[in-house]
Structure formats: structure tokens, C-alpha cells
Amino acid sequence: MENRFDRVRSAKDIAISLILFAAGIACIVVPGSVPVNIVGYTSAIAGLILFFVMKTAFKDTETGEKLKKTEKYFPASKSESILKALSTDPQNIDLNEENKGNGLKVDTYYNTSTGHVFIQLFEYIPYKYEPCSPVYSYDISKAQKLIK
């Protein structure tokens, strides 16, 4: 199955990287002691590394919309009830069972400004999570419990 959601840089990621890089360059350019220059070089290098590595947002490959992601883990015994809740009304998922096992993972991708929510259930097959449901699309008001 192809991946519908790709990791991308968010505006927050770029801002953090640029601030670190700019602070580092400022410490290097301003004449000062050797420790200030060392801090400057360290900060500038950290800013560059974070720019190339840090990707915390997700992009829907079909629509191009940027999304945030939450993950919730459930025991494998709750598979049927979670699948039923996802196909009808995601508000019916029993969150009291959350973090009592890691056989199932519910990925929720959401954008609060557009009100779109995409939910998919994954089952743990040794060494990785495999999708066991289609990607469900809902209005954000129907999945408020899952994005908190």
C-alpha cells in the first residue's frame, strides 16, 4: 500500500531552525570571547542540522493539505469494537482502554483550520504496524476525542 501521508516541514520547524542559525551567526560575527564563538558555531550547526532533519507536519498526497498527527494505542482484543466505531462514529471509541496494550494503533491526521480529519487503524505485525482499515475521512467535530 502506498503511503497517503508524507512527512514535511512545518512553519514551526523552519522558524526554529532559522532562529538557531541566525543566533549562531550573530554570536560568530559579533566580536567576543572564544566561548561565545563556540556557542555560535554550535548553535549555527544545530540550526542547519534541524533544518534538514526535523519534519513534524504531514501532507496529504491526494489534496496537498498540511496536517498534524496524533497516535493512540489500544490492546489487540479491541480490534472489532474500534473498527466498528471508526466506520460509523469515531466518538464511540472507548478511550479508557488507551495505552493498555500496543497491538493496535489509531493514527489521526487533522487540520483544525479546514476541519478535515483522516483516521486509520493499524495492527502490530512483528516489527511494524500494518494498516487493517481504510482511511476514513470525517469532519473535525465527529473526531474531537481522537485529536486531543
Side-chain angles (χ1 to χ4, degrees):
M1 181 179 151
E2 66 183 53
N3 193 9
R4 178 170 174 182
F5 303 101
D6 293 331
R7 288 194 106 135
V8 294
R9 287 180 191 85
S10 68
K12 183 179 175 183
D13 300 338
I14 294 170
I16 290 171
S17 301
L18 287 177
I19 289 170
L20 276 173
F21 184 73
I25 296 300
C27 288
I28 294 168
V29 171
V30 172
S33 62
V34 173
V36 172
N37 284 340
I38 292 172
V39 168
Y41 282 112
T42 305
S43 177
I45 291 171
L48 281 176
I49 290 172
L50 285 178
F51 178 76
F52 290 111
V53 173
M54 191 164 51
K55 294 180 178 182
T56 60
F58 291 85
K59 183 177 182 181
D60 186 357
T61 57
E62 292 180 5
T63 63
E65 180 178 15
K66 282 196 178 181
L67 306 160
K68 295 179 184 177
K69 178 183 176 184
T70 61
E71 297 175 344
K72 299 202 181 300
Y73 296 91
F74 297 93
S77 61
K78 298 295 179 186
S79 177
E80 291 301 318
S81 65
I82 292 175
L83 274 172
K84 183 179 177 187
L86 285 180
S87 64
T88 58
D89 185 16
Q91 292 288 81
N92 293 336
I93 293 178
D94 183 16
L95 293 181
N96 293 329
E97 296 294 323
E98 183 185 2
N99 293 329
K100 292 186 178 174
N102 60 354
L104 299 172
K105 177 176 80 160
V106 177
D107 283 354
T108 307
Y109 299 91
Y110 64 96
N111 185 331
T112 54
S113 62
T114 61
H116 294 135
V117 175
F118 302 97
I119 305 169
Q120 187 172 22
L121 180 66
F122 291 85
E123 182 179 23
Y124 183 75
I125 309 293
Y127 306 114
K128 65 180 178 175
Y129 283 94
E130 293 288 334
C132 64
S133 78
V135 176
Y136 295 104
S137 178
Y138 290 106
D139 188 59
I140 200 163
S141 62
K142 288 189 112 182
Q144 283 292 345
K145 285 173 53 175
L146 292 174
I147 64 172
K148 292 180 182 178

